[in-house]
Amino acid sequence: MKFTAQFFTYIALIFISSYTFSQSDSSGVTAIGGEFVIDYQNPRQYEIGPIRVEGADNFDHQAIKLITGLRTGERIMIPGERFSKAIKNLWKEELFSDAEISVDKEIDGIVYLTIKLAPRPKLSRYKFKGVNKREADKVREEINLFTGKTITENLVFITENKIKGYFRDKGYYDVKVNISRQKDTLINNSEIFIIDIAKNNKVKIKELNIEGNTSISTWKLSMAMKDTKKKQFWRFFKRSKFTSSAYERDKQAILDKYNSIGLRDAAISFDTVYNYDKKNLVVNLIIDEGQKYYFGNIEWMGNTKFRSSYLDTVLGIKKGDVYDKILLEKRLRMSEDGRDISSLYMDRGYLFFQINSIETNVTDNYINYQMRIIEGKEARVKRIRIKGNTKTNDYVIRREIRTKPGDLFSRNDIIRTQRELAQLGYFNEQGFQINPIPNPADGTVDIEYTVEEKSSDQIELSGGYGGRGLTGLSSTSGSSMGGSGLIGTLGLTFNNFSTKNFFKKDSWSPLPGGDGQRLSIRAQTNGKYYQSYIFSFTEPWLGGKKPNSLSYSFNHTAISSYGYLKSNPKYTGVTITGMAIGLGRRKKFPDDYFSAYYELAYQYYVPTNYGIFQNFPTGYANDISMKYVLQRNSISAPIYPQSGTNISFTAKSSIPYSLLGGRTDFTTATQQEMFKYLEYFKIKLTGEWFTPLTLDKKLVLRTRFGFAFLGKYNATKNLSPFERYSLGGSGLSGVSQMGGREIIALRGYEDNQVSSQSGDPIIAKYTVELRYPISLNPQATFYVLAFGEAGNCFPTFKQFNPMNVKRSAGVGLRVFLPMFGMLGLDYGWGFDKLDPWAAGYNSGTINNSIERRGFYPKMTFSIGMNLGEL
């Protein structure tokens, strides 16, 4: 009996000291094992003893203990909130499907705890059904799934929605996605996702119906909806499809359109989207326009720097103007053209400037505003920091920066700096980051410029066909053309070169660079018929103090019509050797968008029975000339300009020997006497505008005009056979421009066939282009264009008529690759027949009859940014 009593006493002690805690209730302990009953009215304090972790063999047990927040030796109240908080901490990790904390035993106020966990399964792999490999690869880029990822219900839900969103953006509005989970028998506690995608039919918008609009026409509202478009047979670049996110944006765009004309209470009172059939949707919108509002009185408060009347002028909004909230915000903060109150202050150092527009009241549909200004202190630039330049030296960047230490902070100077750095061509235009770091304590600001280097060097390796017009011209004896054929070109241009590091072995990686100098070497040949070599070098900051550039170049061209050496009596051809030195300056007046360029050049011509110079086929000529170029260039970016203008005036002249006491009467002179020293002058005027047509500045209209003529000083002297203009084709003819001749492109016509065979002294050209980018990636920039062009060359001023032009239109593609520069492909149609003096009028070519009649298609290929431009 004694043994029996001791046994039952031992069993009772075990049950009393065993407390089991699982899912928490409001007190933090939800279940208690044994016969122990919690006294909720009188919680008791215990000390935490050893803590064990069960069911989490693949996890760090110490980390789990840290997550719960329970520490051995810590004293806690039971019941209390600590257990419930520990359970919540474990749930937050989303690693476990079940979590339980139990008390194994209690000895002398010390509780022994066990944390029991059921880990969530891991994703071992996933596969797709219902889509092809290409689509599956695209979906993989959208979803965030990988081997070992913890599987939760939220993960499944998010993955399904991402896949649906991807296909709905592609026009599959009725896409269905089902993710089934299979246990992976090869990996413990792992599952496989089977992602079954049913795309169904592509759904387009058959009808887009808008009702209730009286102030704005339906077509204007449809235009405002950028991404929700009714299907049309002519729609290529913005195809009809429906996505919920785009639809919501477009509904807001409609309301913004109404707000811009004073209807600020306009609302979409009803809208619905329903299936017309399996492939079409119908979208219905009903609009409640509301009443029209106007701007009332505008009161300025807190302004001490500028008078209220001046701020009214800058704001450009007066009482009675139709209410436009978007316009008001633009005029207050960061207008694209810089005409806003914030820019006015920030361009004068007020970095800490703030403005709040408070709508005080509305009286008879007139909205009154109070503009509350906090001007703050003027901030001066303290430090300039440059990051990201792995090749270009700091001083090359710093000399282009308009914000100098000690200057007042200016937003306009920062914008201008960004443009100047983009114009260098060394950096990714989309990768610029400018971060002003204010120091309110001392009223200064540090400005951090972060750039992203890109490859700016270019290699040209190409082949072209040199036909009539340059290399293969008939001689004066009337022999047939020779020397035409495939011409190979090798050109190397280093746009960020460094002569200073030329002899430093460590700087060759692969070439010395980083000083912003430009070195270009170009060679063309097709063997014995044609050879051309050009070398040029430019130092953009001569002396390193001011933006004065120094450039010099050398060129040599040798053409043999039939491939004979010059020593052969049958030789017909020409050799041209020349050099030039130029100085460029950036001007400050009228503004610093202006620049001037001065050049002194010498060319030596030696034609031998060469038919391109019809009035000077044999002899030699010296051309000593001076050139002046005045240019204003405010184009936003060099590769894909989205705004700005480029206007240029060029004057070039040889020495007027006959006006300086030399021979004045050349009536009886021989051709050699007449052209031994060339006398001429050239005037050229060009203008170019880039106008963004959309708010995102992607769709851009480019307009350009050009006019030039070649004149002479002496009426008894024939016009120079050199320095003329040729028009037609792509501006490429297989060989470099030679003899000073400018080869101008006119898409839709044959190369050099719109002008006369020997070139003309007068030219006029007009261009309109509509451009849209496919990719603005600096490593490969693509854009498409549609163009209209018109131009013509004229032998004399008597025949000159700026409206007598040869018109063309077409489409094209431009691709910019850093290593090769700009490449272009155009398909154009010429509309007009050629003039009798044009080389193509009686050329005897296959297309001659078509060229004379006009309207025929022509594909052209171009290389370079401005090659072939007037």
Side-chain angles (χ1 to χ4, degrees):
M1 293 299 292
K2 182 178 181 181
F3 173 80
T4 304
Q6 290 177 341
F7 175 79
F8 282 105
T9 302
Y10 177 75
I11 295 299
L13 289 173
I14 291 176
F15 275 100
I16 292 172
S17 62
S18 296
Y19 315 116
T20 302
F21 303 90
S22 60
Q23 303 294 337
S24 62
D25 63 3
S26 61
S27 67
V29 182
T30 59
I32 304 174
E35 298 179 356
F36 183 79
V37 178
I38 294 177
D39 186 353
Y40 290 97
Q41 300 298 323
N42 300 295
R44 180 182 173 187
Q45 194 175 62
Y46 294 89
E47 179 183 336
I48 298 177
I51 303 173
R52 292 189 307 111
V53 178
E54 293 182 358
D57 297 336
N58 296 325
F59 294 88
D60 185 341
H61 290 190
Q62 188 61 34
I64 291 174
K65 296 176 186 178
L66 291 174
I67 292 171
T68 62
L70 301 175
R71 306 287 186 273
T72 299
E74 183 182 6
R75 301 189 67 83
I76 61 173
M77 299 295 295
I78 299 178
E81 296 182 353
R82 291 302 304 276
F83 283 150
S84 62
K85 185 177 180 181
I87 294 291
K88 290 178 181 178
N89 289 342
L90 291 171
W91 277 109
K92 286 179 182 178
E93 298 298 316
E94 295 187 344
L95 297 174
F96 311 104
S97 59
D98 191 19
E100 178 182 307
I101 300 177
S102 63
V103 175
D104 290 339
K105 57 185 176 181
E106 181 269 332
I107 301 177
D108 296 332
I110 299 174
V111 290
Y112 294 74
L113 304 181
T114 297
I115 302 174
K116 298 179 181 179
L117 302 172
R120 291 185 183 274
K122 302 287 186 180
L123 179 66
S124 62
R125 62 186 186 275
Y126 62 94
K127 55 186 178 181
F128 295 96
K129 293 174 63 177
V131 293
N132 57 40
K133 184 179 183 303
R134 185 182 64 83
E135 291 173 325
D137 291 339
K138 291 292 185 180
V139 172
R140 283 190 179 92
E141 297 175 5
E142 298 291 326
I143 59 179
N144 185 26
L145 295 182
F146 53 85
T147 299
K149 189 175 183 69
T150 301
I151 299 174
T152 65
E153 290 74 12
N154 189 48
L155 174 67
V156 176
F157 177 77
I158 291 175
T159 302
E160 287 182 351
N161 283 341
K162 283 184 176 180
I163 296 173
K164 288 179 181 178
Y166 171 79
F167 282 102
R168 283 175 176 170
D169 284 343
K170 300 296 181 182
Y172 297 98
Y173 181 70
D174 292 328
V175 61
K176 306 296 181 184
V177 180
N178 179 54
I179 300 179
S180 58
R181 300 162 58 176
Q182 294 182 0
K183 186 175 182 179
D184 192 337
T185 57
L186 301 178
I187 304 176
N188 186 37
N189 196 31
S190 295
E191 293 182 357
I192 304 171
F193 276 5
I194 309 298
I195 305 175
D196 191 357
I197 302 173
K199 296 188 298 182
N200 297 317
N201 294 317
K202 270 193 174 184
V203 177
K204 297 182 178 182
I205 301 173
K206 181 177 178 61
E207 295 291 340
L208 178 58
N209 302 315
I210 302 176
E211 299 177 10
N213 55 309
T214 57
S215 301
I216 302 178
S217 61
T218 301
W219 73 268
K220 287 185 178 180
L221 294 178
S222 298
M223 289 291 291
M225 301 179 75
K226 300 297 183 183
D227 298 306
T228 307
K229 298 292 186 182
K230 177 182 175 181
K231 69 176 182 178
Q232 303 284 359
F233 72 92
W234 45 263
R235 193 178 300 282
F236 297 104
F237 299 112
K238 182 69 72 172
R239 293 188 177 275
S240 173
K241 61 182 179 181
F242 182 87
T243 63
S244 298
S245 57
Y247 180 53
E248 293 300 321
R249 289 195 305 269
D250 287 339
K251 287 196 295 183
Q252 184 58 48
I254 288 178
L255 298 180
D256 291 341
K257 191 78 173 176
Y258 274 102
N259 292 340
S260 67
I261 62 169
L263 298 170
R264 74 167 188 170
D265 292 338
I268 298 175
S269 59
F270 175 80
D271 71 289
T272 182
V273 179
Y274 62 89
N275 288 87
Y276 180 83
D277 53 35
K278 292 183 178 180
K279 295 184 178 181
N280 294 283
L281 293 174
V282 174
V283 178
N284 290 330
L285 298 167
I286 299 177
I287 296 173
D288 180 8
E289 293 186 339
Q291 295 180 335
K292 179 170 278 192
Y293 289 82
Y294 304 87
F295 283 107
N297 296 318
I298 297 177
E299 179 187 4
W300 300 91
M301 295 185 63
N303 53 306
T304 60
K305 178 70 175 178
F306 301 103
R307 297 188 306 272
S308 296
S309 59
Y310 182 68
L311 295 179
D312 285 335
T313 302
V314 174
L315 186 65
I317 296 174
K318 60 183 182 296
K319 184 177 181 179
D321 287 351
V322 173
Y323 178 78
D324 186 346
K325 180 67 173 178
I326 296 176
L327 175 64
L328 177 63
E329 289 300 317
K330 284 184 177 180
R331 296 289 175 83
L332 291 178
R333 303 175 184 86
M334 305 306 177
S335 173
E336 294 175 357
D337 58 2
R339 182 189 172 184
D340 60 85
I341 303 300
S342 293
S343 295
L344 179 68
Y345 275 90
M346 287 191 173
D347 286 345
R348 289 159 177 79
Y350 290 89
L351 172 63
F352 309 105
F353 167 84
Q354 297 179 38
I355 184 170
N356 295 311
S357 57
I358 306 299
E359 184 179 313
T360 55
N361 55 66
V362 180
T363 305
D364 297 329
N365 288 5
Y366 283 82
I367 303 172
N368 301 313
Y369 272 96
Q370 189 178 84
M371 305 300 178
R372 299 176 183 176
I373 293 175
I374 302 175
E375 292 180 341
K377 296 190 300 182
E378 291 182 339
R380 292 189 177 271
V381 179
K382 186 176 183 179
R383 284 183 292 265
I384 300 295
R385 303 173 183 174
I386 301 172
K387 292 184 177 181
N389 52 318
T390 56
K391 177 181 178 181
T392 306
N393 293 320
D394 277 3
Y395 77 88
V396 174
I397 300 175
R398 288 184 183 276
R399 67 194 186 190
E400 301 292 343
I401 292 177
R402 300 299 181 95
T403 52
K404 307 293 185 183
D407 290 350
L408 283 174
F409 175 84
S410 172
R411 172 180 173 265
N412 184 63
D413 285 345
I414 289 179
I415 295 173
R416 185 64 187 276
T417 296
Q418 185 170 350
R419 176 192 176 273
E420 297 301 326
L421 292 177
Q423 291 290 332
L424 292 176
Y426 311 151
F427 310 112
N428 174 11
E429 300 161 20
Q430 311 299 320
F432 281 121
Q433 294 182 24
I434 302 174
N435 182 27
I437 306 173
N439 306 306
D442 58 3
T444 63
V445 58
D446 298 339
I447 302 179
E448 182 179 272
Y449 293 93
T450 301
V451 297
E452 180 183 324
E453 297 266 11
K454 70 176 183 180
S455 175
S456 58
D457 299 329
Q458 296 176 3
I459 180 171
E460 179 185 353
L461 183 61
S462 62
Y465 189 81
R468 61 181 183 276
L470 287 175
T471 61
L473 294 170
S474 60
S475 67
T476 54
S477 60
S479 57
S480 60
M481 292 189 298
S484 60
L486 184 66
I487 297 175
T489 302
L490 175 61
L492 299 174
T493 301
F494 308 107
N495 288 305
N496 196 1
F497 195 70
S498 173
T499 55
K500 181 175 63 177
N501 297 324
F502 191 83
F503 297 103
K504 295 180 181 180
K505 184 178 179 181
D506 296 340
S507 300
W508 287 75
S509 58
L511 290 169
D515 284 346
Q517 298 166 336
R518 187 178 189 273
L519 176 67
S520 179
I521 303 171
R522 193 170 188 264
Q524 284 185 309
T525 183
N526 72 341
K528 56 187 178 180
Y529 295 102
Y530 170 74
Q531 295 179 14
S532 175
Y533 309 96
I534 301 174
F535 171 85
S536 65
F537 176 81
T538 301
E539 166 56 69
W541 282 67
L542 182 62
K545 300 291 185 181
K546 295 182 179 180
N548 299 329
S549 65
L550 175 68
S551 60
Y552 52 88
S553 62
F554 303 92
N555 66 84
H556 176 76
T557 301
I559 298 175
S560 176
S561 297
Y562 301 101
Y564 296 118
L565 295 176
K566 199 169 183 180
S567 58
N568 193 308
K570 296 182 180 180
Y571 168 80
T572 62
V574 63
T575 60
I576 305 166
T577 304
M579 63 185 69
I581 184 169
L583 178 68
R585 295 183 58 194
R586 186 182 298 168
K587 290 183 169 292
K588 295 183 179 179
F589 179 82
D591 60 42
D592 57 4
Y593 286 109
F594 279 85
S595 64
Y597 177 75
Y598 312 86
E599 182 181 273
L600 176 64
Y602 173 72
Q603 291 278 101
Y604 183 63
Y605 303 93
V606 184
T608 304
N609 294 323
Y610 196 58
I612 190 173
F613 310 131
Q614 292 180 353
N615 57 351
F616 186 54
T618 300
Y620 65 91
N622 297 276
D623 181 6
I624 302 174
S625 64
M626 293 169 288
K627 183 166 71 173
Y628 172 74
V629 180
L630 179 64
Q631 183 181 40
R632 187 185 189 276
N633 185 352
S634 62
I635 289 176
S636 60
I639 307 303
Y640 188 78
Q642 296 170 302
S643 62
T645 62
N646 184 9
I647 300 174
S648 176
F649 170 79
T650 303
K652 183 178 181 180
S653 174
S654 65
I655 298 175
Y657 302 99
S658 58
L659 300 181
L660 300 176
R663 182 174 177 177
T664 59
D665 186 6
F666 289 87
T667 305
T668 61
T670 64
Q671 290 180 331
Q672 179 58 63
E673 291 173 334
M674 191 174 296
F675 298 121
K676 180 179 180 180
Y677 295 102
L678 299 180
E679 288 188 59
Y680 65 89
F681 63 89
K682 296 177 71 175
I683 300 295
K684 181 166 68 173
L685 179 65
T686 62
E688 188 174 33
W689 290 263
F690 293 89
T691 307
L693 301 181
T694 55
L695 293 177
D696 58 8
K697 292 188 175 183
K698 287 188 175 182
L699 184 64
V700 176
L701 177 68
R702 173 190 181 239
T703 52
R704 183 182 176 92
F705 81 91
F707 169 77
F709 72 93
L710 171 69
K712 57 183 180 179
Y713 292 108
N714 193 315
T716 65
K717 218 174 184 182
N718 290 338
L719 197 65
S720 171
F722 313 103
E723 299 289 338
R724 299 191 177 199
Y725 304 98
S726 292
L727 180 65
S730 64
L732 294 172
S733 59
V735 300
S736 300
Q737 298 181 14
M738 63 89 173
R741 176 177 293 194
E742 294 189 38
I743 306 170
I744 308 302
L746 184 63
R747 292 164 286 189
Y749 295 90
E750 293 287 346
D751 288 347
N752 309 315
Q753 298 302 290
V754 178
S755 55
S756 61
Q757 184 176 0
S758 57
D760 293 307
I762 306 171
I763 188 173
K765 184 185 173 187
Y766 319 98
T767 302
V768 176
E769 281 186 358
L770 195 62
R771 299 177 170 186
Y772 190 82
I774 299 173
S775 168
L776 293 178
N777 187 323
Q779 301 304 317
T781 302
F782 294 76
Y783 64 87
V784 293
L785 59 89
F787 68 86
E789 281 190 324
N792 203 0
C793 282
F794 307 92
T796 64
F797 265 113
K798 186 177 180 180
Q799 295 166 301
F800 173 69
N801 179 357
M803 297 295 104
N804 176 21
V805 290
K806 309 309 166 190
R807 299 164 299 171
S808 66
V811 294
L813 172 69
R814 294 293 181 272
V815 179
F816 178 81
L817 302 174
M819 283 295 292
F820 298 97
M822 186 69 77
L823 307 176
L825 186 65
D826 297 287
Y827 192 80
W829 290 264
F831 300 139
D832 299 297
K833 63 181 181 180
L834 303 182
D835 293 315
W837 61 77
Y841 189 80
N842 292 307
S843 63
T845 62
I846 295 175
N847 290 326
N848 180 47
S849 61
I850 304 178
E851 290 180 72
R852 295 179 65 174
R853 185 175 67 248
F855 196 79
Y856 72 102
K858 179 73 169 63
M859 182 171 289
T860 54
F861 176 74
S862 60
I863 301 175
M865 293 288 294
N866 299 308
L867 192 62
E869 294 285 4
L870 178 61

